[in-house]
Amino acid sequence: MTEADEVDRIVGAWNTQRPDLDFSPLEVLSRMDRLTRLLDRARRDVFRRSDLEAWEWDVLSALRRAGAPFQLSPKQLLQQTLVSSGTMTNRIDRLVGRCFVRREGDPADGRSVLVTLTDDGRIRVDAAITRLVDVEDDLLQALSRGDRDRLAALLRKLSLSFDA
């Protein structure tokens, strides 16, 4: 017999009260919801220790992942962070104020701007990703590498079904 968690207790109670329903979706998605909340807290703590807000992380990490020279257009940042144009402008302004990014003219189009990660921004995002990987590895210690790979594949399959 496997050890029961809180979701097992909730589903068991529902099965008693409503035996006419199939609660198997709750067994998956309620666990995902609980794990998401734990992960959000862990990530907020990592970002706080790196003196970053989650939204700052989103923008800085997009720039860092772009590779040298670590720059993207505001439109590219919008596509990667899924926020409105006005929100992105505000975020870029605030990151410029913290000296994590700078605006530069696009040499390919004099009317356009590129957002470039500064050395301070790169140092900050590199420290945060190192902490994040360490914390998230700790969160997954209960799973073997094979279990992690299988879970990642199943979650990818589910994620792709939402994108279809």
Side-chain angles (χ1 to χ4, degrees):
M1 172 142 188
T2 59
E3 190 176 350
D5 66 3
E6 184 62 21
V7 173
D8 289 320
R9 289 184 273 284
I10 291 168
V11 168
W14 275 118
N15 274 324
T16 300
Q17 297 303 313
R18 292 292 311 270
D20 57 310
L21 295 176
D22 174 13
F23 291 99
S24 62
L26 269 63
E27 293 186 72
V28 174
L29 298 177
S30 292
R31 285 186 176 94
M32 288 177 63
D33 181 57
R34 289 169 176 271
L35 292 170
T36 297
R37 285 187 258 153
L38 290 169
L39 179 59
D40 284 345
R41 275 184 274 190
R43 284 183 168 187
R44 278 194 309 271
D45 183 54
V46 163
F47 300 146
R48 186 178 38 53
R49 288 188 296 149
S50 298
D51 192 27
L52 291 174
E53 297 290 331
W55 66 265
E56 291 174 313
W57 161 258
D58 285 344
V59 176
L60 297 178
S61 65
L63 291 165
R64 182 64 170 98
R65 291 189 313 266
F70 311 114
Q71 59 187 196
L72 295 170
S73 70
K75 182 178 179 180
Q76 290 170 311
L77 286 169
L78 283 172
Q79 292 168 339
Q80 291 196 31
T81 60
L82 303 175
V83 298
S84 71
S85 177
T87 298
M88 182 53 67
T89 298
N90 179 273
R91 289 179 176 186
I92 293 168
D93 289 345
R94 292 172 66 187
L95 290 168
V96 166
R98 291 194 69 191
C99 299
F100 292 157
V101 303
R102 67 180 173 272
R103 286 184 175 93
E104 299 179 350
D106 185 345
D109 178 358
R111 299 168 298 161
S112 298
V113 169
L114 293 173
V115 179
T116 303
L117 190 64
T118 64
D119 288 341
D120 288 344
R122 187 183 49 75
I123 289 166
R124 188 69 53 111
V125 75
D126 281 354
I129 191 60
T130 300
R131 287 184 180 112
L132 183 63
V133 169
D134 288 345
V135 165
E136 291 187 1
D137 183 60
D138 288 345
L139 292 173
L140 293 173
Q141 284 302 306
L143 300 177
S144 70
R145 185 64 192 190
D147 286 343
R148 289 182 192 195
D149 292 344
R150 282 188 294 283
L151 180 58
L154 289 169
L155 291 171
R156 181 182 306 105
K157 182 177 181 179
L158 182 61
S159 177
L160 288 169
S161 76
F162 284 96
D163 294 340

